[in-house]
Amino acid sequence: MLNSNSVKTRFLVSVGANGIRGVIGFFSGLLVARALSPSGYGDLMFLLGSFAAIRGLLDMGTSSAFYTFLSRHTQGRRFYLVYFFWMALQFLITLVMVAVIPFGFFEKIWLGHNREIVIVAFLAVFVQQQILQTVSQIGESMRKTIKVQLLILFAAVIYLIIIVFLISYGTVTTQNILFLTIFQGALASLSIYWVLRSDQALPFERDATLSQIVLEYWTYCKPLIVLSLITFLYDFADKWMLQKFGGATQQGFFQIANQFSNAILLATTSIIGIFWKEIAHAWEKRDHYRVAMLYRKTTRGLVMLSAIASGLLLPWAEQIVTILLGPMYVMSWPVLAIMFLYPIHLPMGIIGGSTLLAIGQTHKHMLICIVGMLVSMPISYLMLAPATSEWGGFGLGLGAVGLASKLVILSVVSVNVQAWVIARYNGWDYDWKFQVIGIPLMLMIGYLVKLLMGFVWDIDHLSVANLVIPALLVCFLYAGIVILSIWFLPWLIGLEKAEIEKMSAQVSVRIKSKLFNFSRP
């Protein structure tokens, strides 16, 4: 029997469920993108992205504080009521703002979208990113990862089924997709709430006073308030400038490439809640050795896993766009190629940021993020603005390609600055060698495999049906070379040679045992 509270079991279930849900969500997104066209998909993602930025502004780090405090120990009922009241206040502030903002200003912000569909987009973001995230955090803090992940997976399956139904009847519109997003988030949230409520997994602690709760939040979130403002400006400005200067089609190109990029981050998003919980708990217990071990192994493993996925996919960016998205998106393949580089270093930034928040170093997290975003915004303007006197005359007008290039370059710099700060604060060695050796190695292996396949097949002129065998051989050959590389360089993924040999021996024993049992009469 698996122990549902153990880190290993929760990790495996989280990765498995998130992997399946990620595949479902990925193909759901592809279906929506194809049905809406690049401009329609760009409009949808612009609406959702604008409210994701506003949500971050009003949140002011309280969601991070909420999960961190839950991860340290159980909380009283008043703790929950305070946070739920704060969520309701954020909802009302945003709804009133959208409803009463003057029409002229409204037009400049949402660039031609009517007020009704903007409100629906707000509801979709609030349900998905606020309500569902909160109930999921509560479940994870109770180590109920298995039930939470399975219920979210169930909602994702329902979403995909309805998408297929809408496509078959030709009723895929931006508004319908937004309503469906609300339904999916509400279904998952209510299911998780019902299970946790009936489960009564953990007792409530004795209530702290209202002043104690508010003071604890204030101490944690004070450095994050300024960060929330800068993050809002950064997130909203990038999407707004791309929509304004590049148009909805360029927005669609970038957002669909970003969806491919996010698919590579499945492992990171799957375990981040577990990692946060364990880091916060170990820090509370003053177990600094465990904190260091978790940080190093998780960072190396996830960065190299992303590099492996990017190395496999990047050389085939043009073919991927042509096959999966069709002729409407064929011009987006350079954007996709660049965005395949973006998720390589992103796990390092996510793990580093989660570490700083979990150990309460919100001030350091704030400074690193603010400096990075303040540098990023003028570069975004340079990349996106047209070279006309109306907009300063020095823009490059590169559209989605420019925004993707900026993200990749700045992510490499910013996550390494963050890693250096974390290492210095904790007295660790700054871990950089695995990046310099491992990442280029995986990309070179990917292009080597493509070169070898080019000697056998003319990939660009094969039908989709005839691509099955070449694709399988590419994956098999690439996986073999990668496994061989890790066997000789296990430190790239945070393991020692003895650990690799032990795992290999265990797998070998299990395979032999299965074969022996199968062959017995």
Side-chain angles (χ1 to χ4, degrees):
M1 296 291 291
L2 292 175
N3 179 6
S4 62
N5 287 331
S6 74
V7 175
K8 182 183 291 186
T9 301
R10 288 158 53 219
F11 169 76
L12 291 174
V13 171
S14 184
V15 170
N18 271 279
I20 298 171
R21 181 163 57 92
V23 171
I24 293 172
F26 177 74
F27 281 104
S28 298
L30 290 185
L31 291 174
V32 171
R34 289 182 69 115
L36 288 178
S37 78
S39 60
Y41 187 72
D43 283 334
L44 172 66
M45 300 310 292
F46 171 68
L47 287 170
L48 293 174
S50 65
F51 282 106
I54 292 172
R55 181 253 170 189
L57 172 64
L58 295 178
D59 180 75
M60 293 186 290
T62 52
S63 60
S64 297
F66 176 74
Y67 185 56
T68 299
F69 299 155
L70 282 179
S71 298
R72 290 174 179 172
H73 54 80
T74 54
Q75 299 286 346
R77 294 183 185 275
R78 189 176 291 117
F79 173 85
Y80 290 94
L81 291 175
V82 167
Y83 186 70
F84 295 158
F85 173 80
W86 172 240
M87 285 176 56
L89 187 60
Q90 293 177 63
F91 176 85
L92 290 174
I93 290 172
T94 309
L95 187 62
V96 170
M97 178 196 73
V98 174
V100 305
I101 191 171
F103 180 76
F105 195 48
F106 183 94
E107 282 282 306
K108 291 180 179 179
I109 295 175
W110 281 286
L111 300 173
H113 294 286
N114 64 62
R115 202 179 298 264
E116 289 75 17
I117 200 168
V118 170
I119 291 176
V120 176
F122 156 62
L123 294 175
V125 171
F126 187 83
V127 171
Q128 280 281 356
Q129 298 189 16
Q130 195 79 1
I131 296 177
L132 179 56
Q133 175 183 286
T134 299
V135 294
S136 299
Q137 287 176 333
I138 295 171
E140 183 57 55
S141 72
M142 296 176 174
R143 292 189 168 97
K144 295 299 175 182
T145 303
I146 296 176
K147 292 182 178 180
V148 169
Q149 293 297 334
L150 290 179
L151 289 171
I152 295 176
L153 175 60
F154 171 74
V157 172
I158 298 298
Y159 179 87
L160 176 59
I161 293 172
I162 298 176
I163 286 291
V164 173
F165 176 82
L166 292 177
I167 290 174
S168 65
Y169 282 88
T171 55
V172 177
T173 64
T174 299
Q175 184 167 315
N176 285 344
I177 296 301
L178 290 173
F179 279 123
L180 181 55
T181 303
I182 295 171
F183 170 76
Q184 179 195 14
L187 176 64
S189 300
L190 290 172
S191 300
I192 294 170
Y193 168 75
W194 180 260
V195 167
L196 295 179
R197 182 173 178 270
S198 60
D199 211 23
Q200 295 181 347
L202 286 175
F204 287 103
E205 262 194 0
R206 183 172 57 85
D207 267 334
T209 65
L210 179 61
S211 60
Q212 288 173 331
I213 295 171
V214 172
L215 179 61
E216 189 175 26
Y217 269 105
W218 173 250
T219 303
Y220 185 97
C221 296
K222 184 166 56 174
L224 301 179
I225 295 174
V226 176
L227 176 60
S228 298
L229 175 60
I230 303 299
T231 301
F232 163 72
L233 294 174
Y234 167 78
D235 287 343
F236 191 84
D238 272 7
K239 293 177 179 64
W240 187 89
M241 284 191 284
L242 182 57
Q243 188 84 0
K244 176 70 176 179
F245 300 135
T249 298
Q250 287 293 309
Q251 186 82 251
F253 286 170
F254 175 80
Q255 295 298 342
I256 196 64
N258 192 47
Q259 185 167 329
F260 277 91
S261 176
N262 288 336
I264 295 177
L265 293 171
L266 280 176
T268 302
T269 55
S270 297
I271 72 162
I272 193 62
I274 298 171
F275 174 82
W276 193 321
K277 163 70 179 178
E278 299 305 322
I279 287 288
H281 185 72
W283 188 264
E284 182 77 4
K285 299 294 184 182
R286 301 293 187 266
D287 190 351
H288 298 296
Y289 172 79
R290 179 170 172 78
V291 172
M293 181 272 294
L294 285 171
Y295 175 83
R296 181 178 63 85
K297 285 183 176 289
T298 307
T299 300
R300 287 194 183 189
L302 291 176
V303 169
M304 290 311 303
L305 187 60
S306 293
I308 291 168
S310 296
L312 173 64
L313 298 173
L314 192 151
W316 305 96
E318 186 172 2
Q319 289 79 12
I320 290 171
V321 168
T322 303
I323 294 169
L324 294 182
L325 294 171
M328 290 187 298
Y329 286 87
V330 70
M331 297 300 292
S332 70
W333 80 262
V335 186
L336 179 61
I338 297 170
M339 287 300 289
F340 274 142
L341 295 171
Y342 182 51
I344 295 177
H345 279 86
L346 206 55
M348 191 172 170
I350 295 172
I351 291 298
S354 300
T355 299
L356 289 173
L357 292 172
I359 66 177
Q361 292 299 311
T362 55
H363 187 74
K364 289 181 173 61
H365 177 67
M366 173 201 70
L367 289 177
I368 294 168
C369 292
I370 284 179
V371 171
M373 287 184 287
L374 289 177
V375 171
S376 175
M377 283 188 281
I379 296 177
S380 292
Y381 184 83
L382 175 66
M383 292 289 191
L384 297 173
T388 61
S389 57
E390 181 184 1
W391 298 99
F394 55 84
L396 299 176
L398 295 177
V401 169
L403 186 57
S405 301
K406 181 215 72 167
L407 286 177
V408 171
I409 295 170
L410 290 186
S411 71
V412 175
V413 176
S414 61
V415 302
N416 276 282
V417 169
Q418 178 180 256
W420 179 81
V421 170
I422 293 172
R424 184 178 180 184
Y425 174 75
N426 290 283
W428 306 335
D429 291 331
Y430 168 47
D431 198 14
W432 59 272
K433 291 182 181 178
F434 78 98
Q435 303 175 57
V436 176
I437 296 175
I439 294 171
L441 177 61
M442 298 305 149
L443 296 177
M444 285 191 294
I445 293 172
Y447 276 100
L448 174 62
V449 170
K450 183 178 183 181
L451 180 64
L452 293 175
M453 288 298 105
F455 290 135
V456 182
W457 288 284
D458 184 2
I459 300 294
D460 292 329
H461 295 93
L462 291 179
S463 65
V464 174
N466 290 330
L467 281 172
V468 174
I469 293 177
L472 291 175
L473 285 176
V474 165
C475 294
F476 179 79
L477 183 58
Y478 182 79
I481 300 175
V482 167
I483 291 171
L484 191 64
S485 302
I486 292 174
W487 176 264
F488 287 105
L489 301 170
W491 58 271
L492 289 176
I493 59 172
L495 296 177
E496 302 295 334
K497 188 63 177 288
E499 293 178 281
I500 291 286
E501 292 175 348
K502 182 180 178 181
M503 287 190 293
S504 177
Q506 289 174 340
V507 171
S508 178
V509 167
R510 289 185 180 183
I511 291 175
K512 290 178 180 178
S513 175
K514 293 289 185 182
L515 291 175
F516 176 74
N517 291 332
F518 179 76
S519 63
R520 291 177 62 183

